[in-house]
């Protein structure tokens, strides 16, 4: 069994995943999530967490796959974008494994990995990607050999916004899943019609989320039902992403839209995206939840495509790049 191992360490998640070198198998990741005791991610603490988890996680992953070190054909790792101290841990583990096992190393673009795992798992071909995660919110499309960013958040990522609102009402990180539960409980009990007034920020194909965050916190502080605030926050912030996704479909003439990133776990954004796509005669796609959140498997899958296209990262080019952008990576595979 030949395997390509993928190592993810851009932010709070440290994860090993794998795909078979011939592309026939996609193996589950073993991941560990750094959860701050209070406040947001502290990059150095997250990096310490990654260092401490790496050995056990790799043993668990290899055990789950029934693999041994002779099965490893190549090592792929997230080269960026992300938090420097976190990325550095993944980079160091990847370089050590590549040298110790004498197998090729390939540094991959984390954002592009979200797209490629989505294409691999859902069978969509040339989608608009609505990439909705903790730190990133971008609308992306392939054009002239790159994945181009057509629009993005002008301030914070949508997941970050949800996590910060969650924290303000006492929900520990990550806030998104519990906000979704509160919102759907509210809808079950009260219907979905009632919505609080919240600012809606779409500027062409860009979005912004700090205004809606402040307004939602103010509603909660005034004593509004937390379920109603969660429901309203989801409806208004997701609508802005779906609007920009639709505009990107209209601009490019593409008929597929793919959701990626942790917020793509949310059933409501999936439903809204689906309705929009179907109304235009298109189709919406998303991978299963463990492949929406940050995971090593998507890194392995992009690594496989790059290696198949003859791209390998030599040691001297293997430094991490915290500000690597989606459109900096040439895309030469089909
Ligand atoms: P990522 O940065 O892609 O690993 O995704 C993590 C982000 O996804 C965090 O901000 C989470 O709050 C968010 N998230 C995870 N599950 C959900 C969900 N069901 N609804 C909304 N946000 C979610
Ligand atoms: Mg991500």
């Amino acid at each position: 069994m030949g395997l390509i191992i993928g190592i993810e360490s851009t932010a709070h998640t440290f994860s090993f995943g794998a795909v078979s070198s011939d592309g026939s198998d996609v193996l589950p990741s073993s991941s560990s999530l750094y959860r701050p005791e209070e406040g947001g991610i502290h990059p150095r603490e997250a990096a310490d967490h990654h260092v401490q988890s790496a050995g056990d996680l790799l043993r668990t992953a290899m055990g789950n796959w029934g693999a041994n070190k002779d099965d490893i054909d190549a090592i792929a790792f997230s080269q960026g974008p992300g938090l420097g101290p976190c990325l550095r841990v993944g980079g160091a583990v990847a370089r050590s494994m590549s040298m110790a096992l004498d197998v090729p190393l390939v540094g991959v673009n984390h954002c592009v990995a979200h797209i490629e795992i989505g294409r691999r798992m859902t069978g969509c071909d040339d989608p608009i990607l609505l990439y909705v995660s903790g730190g990133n919110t971008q609308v992306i499309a392939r054009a002239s050999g790159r994945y181009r960013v057509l629009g993005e958040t002008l301030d914070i990522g949508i997941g970050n916004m949800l996590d910060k609102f969650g924290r303000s009402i006492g929900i520990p990180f990550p806030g998104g899943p519990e906000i979704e539960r509160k919102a759907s409980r509210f809808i079950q009990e009260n219907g979905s019609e009632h919505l609080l007034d919240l600012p809606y920020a779409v500027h062409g194909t860009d979005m912004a989320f700090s205004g809606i965050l402040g307004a939602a916190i103010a509603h909660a502080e005034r004593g509004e039902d937390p379920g109603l605030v969660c429901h309203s926050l989801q409806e208004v912030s997701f609508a802005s992403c779906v609007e920009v996704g639709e505009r990107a479909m209209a601009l490019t003439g593409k008929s597929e839209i793919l959701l990626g990133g942790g917020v793509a776990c949310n059933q409501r954004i999936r439903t809204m995206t689906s309705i929009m796509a179907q109304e235009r005669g298109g189709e919406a796609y998303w991978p299963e939840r463990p492949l929406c959140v940050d995971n090593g498997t998507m890194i392995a899958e992009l690594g496989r495509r790059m290696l198949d296209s003859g791209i390998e990262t030599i040691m001297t080019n293997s430094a991490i790049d915290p500000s690597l952008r989606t459109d900096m990576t040439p895309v030469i595979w089909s």
Side-chain angles (χ1 to χ4, degrees), residues 80-236:
L83 303 170
C86 299
L87 284 166
R88 240 167 254 129
V89 179
V93 172
R95 276 186 288 272
S96 317
M97 288 179 70
S98 160
M99 278 198 287
L101 300 169
D102 195 22
V103 295
L105 180 70
V106 58
V108 316
N109 184 317
H110 173 94
C111 303
V112 175
H114 275 290
I115 308 175
E116 294 302 350
I117 195 67
R119 290 178 67 218
R120 167 73 176 76
M121 301 312 288
T122 66
C124 68
D125 176 42
D126 184 23
I128 294 292
L129 177 78
L130 196 49
Y131 174 32
V132 280
S133 76
N136 295 291
T137 305
Q138 294 184 327
V139 179
I140 296 165
R142 187 164 171 168
S144 313
R146 304 268 164 143
Y147 285 111
R148 312 275 171 187
V149 179
L150 303 181
E152 63 189 318
T153 178
L154 298 171
D155 44 37
I156 54 177
I158 185 166
N160 241 241
M161 182 276 288
L162 294 171
D163 296 335
K164 282 184 172 155
F165 173 71
R167 205 178 307 135
S168 81
I169 60 167
I171 302 172
F173 174 85
E178 181 59 23
I179 290 172
E180 177 173 19
R181 277 190 288 274
K182 281 196 189 327
S184 51
R185 218 175 298 135
F186 177 85
I187 296 169
Q188 270 167 17
E189 288 164 10
N190 305 281
S192 60
E193 261 78 276
H194 192 37
L195 273 184
L196 293 169
D197 201 17
L198 288 171
Y200 180 82
V202 169
H203 308 276
T205 52
D206 292 324
M207 300 144 270
F209 298 107
S210 53
I212 193 173
L213 170 64
I217 292 174
H219 278 302
E221 283 174 355
R222 272 198 299 277
E224 284 289 0
D225 179 340
L228 172 60
V229 188
C230 291
H231 162 56
S232 309
L233 188 58
Q234 287 199 161
E235 292 302 304
V236 178

